[in-house]
Amino acid sequence: MSERATFTRMEESTADDWRKIAGEYAPFVKTLPDRLIAHLKLLEGDYGGFPVDRYTHSLQTATRALRDGRDEEYVVCALLHDIGDTLGSFNHFDIAAAILKPVVSEENLWMVQNHGIFQGYYFFHHLGLDRNLRDQFAGHPHYARTEEFCALYDNPAFDAKAETLPIEEFTPMLRRVFAQPRNSIYKAAMPAAA
């Protein structure tokens, strides 16, 4: 059994308590990619009326980005862009962005955060919504990147016959991307290997 802190209120914690907690933190952080994969697999079998299940859509989006020569961070964004579907029925893109925020660039974060609005160009008009809702971001430095992500990778990734690489193809890059946090208040306190 691992060591555990003894405080009942954080204000009563000691440096020794935090040594114990920090000792558990590094191994926990290293298993984040495993937890992400397990959560992504919750999308398997969840069709929600779509031609392919949400897991296949995620893998297919990432496959398309990988085959197009995108870098690992971009491919991981493609893989996880809809991971929030299970918890954020009204804002899945916010959940994906929150997960990716510590480890991705500003442009990739913005792309994931706003892909739901940009993807709407392809179907919002069928729901009585404004398909051009993305135009509110016209002139934004990451507009073209997000528009392209949806056009090339997200929009066409509903084809049951299209190439869909298995999760094992993406696992090493997922591990590498999540091993390098850049935007976290805890970064300074993390061991170099975390």
Side-chain angles (χ1 to χ4, degrees):
M1 185 168 164
S2 62
E3 290 187 282
R4 292 172 61 185
T6 58
F7 60 86
T8 57
R9 298 169 61 98
M10 273 199 179
E11 65 188 10
E12 297 168 354
S13 65
T14 65
D16 188 55
D17 287 327
W18 286 99
R19 180 194 56 78
K20 294 171 186 173
I21 292 167
E24 295 294 318
Y25 183 71
F28 183 72
V29 166
K30 287 185 179 180
T31 61
L32 176 57
D34 299 317
R35 293 189 305 278
L36 290 170
I37 291 167
H39 195 88
L40 195 61
K41 286 183 178 181
L42 293 176
L43 302 174
E44 194 168 18
D46 179 3
Y47 287 83
F50 289 96
V52 298
D53 66 26
R54 288 177 165 100
Y55 182 61
T56 300
H57 170 70
S58 297
L59 292 171
Q60 204 172 103
T61 304
T63 298
R64 289 175 173 278
L66 180 66
R67 292 295 191 228
D68 205 22
R70 296 298 179 150
D71 63 50
E72 287 192 350
E73 182 182 300
Y74 191 102
V75 173
V76 166
C77 287
L79 178 68
L80 300 181
H81 78 285
D82 281 348
I83 195 169
D85 277 348
T86 57
L87 298 172
S89 299
F90 305 105
N91 66 330
H92 74 279
F93 35 86
D94 291 324
I95 293 172
I99 291 167
L100 289 161
K101 184 177 181 177
V103 296
V104 301
S105 65
E106 176 191 338
E107 58 266 21
N108 282 336
L109 179 64
W110 199 91
M111 177 182 77
V112 171
Q113 177 74 55
N114 292 285
H115 84 272
I117 291 171
F118 281 69
Q119 183 75 334
Y121 176 78
Y122 301 101
F123 70 92
F124 277 178
H125 56 290
H126 297 303
L127 302 174
L129 300 171
D130 180 6
R131 73 184 301 192
N132 295 306
L133 193 58
R134 67 187 185 176
D135 290 351
Q136 67 184 302
F137 299 113
H140 190 281
H142 308 312
Y143 182 100
R145 181 183 197 82
T146 308
E147 180 182 41
E148 180 182 68
F149 169 76
C150 290
L152 297 180
Y153 311 121
D154 195 4
N155 173 49
F158 295 93
D159 182 353
K161 296 177 184 168
E163 180 183 20
T164 306
L165 293 171
I167 191 64
E168 293 77 19
E169 184 74 28
F170 304 106
T171 301
M173 63 183 74
L174 187 67
R175 291 190 191 292
R176 286 188 290 271
V177 168
F178 276 87
Q180 301 298 321
R182 354 172 161 182
N183 306 308
S184 171
I185 61 171
Y186 301 111
K187 184 177 178 185
M190 293 174 62

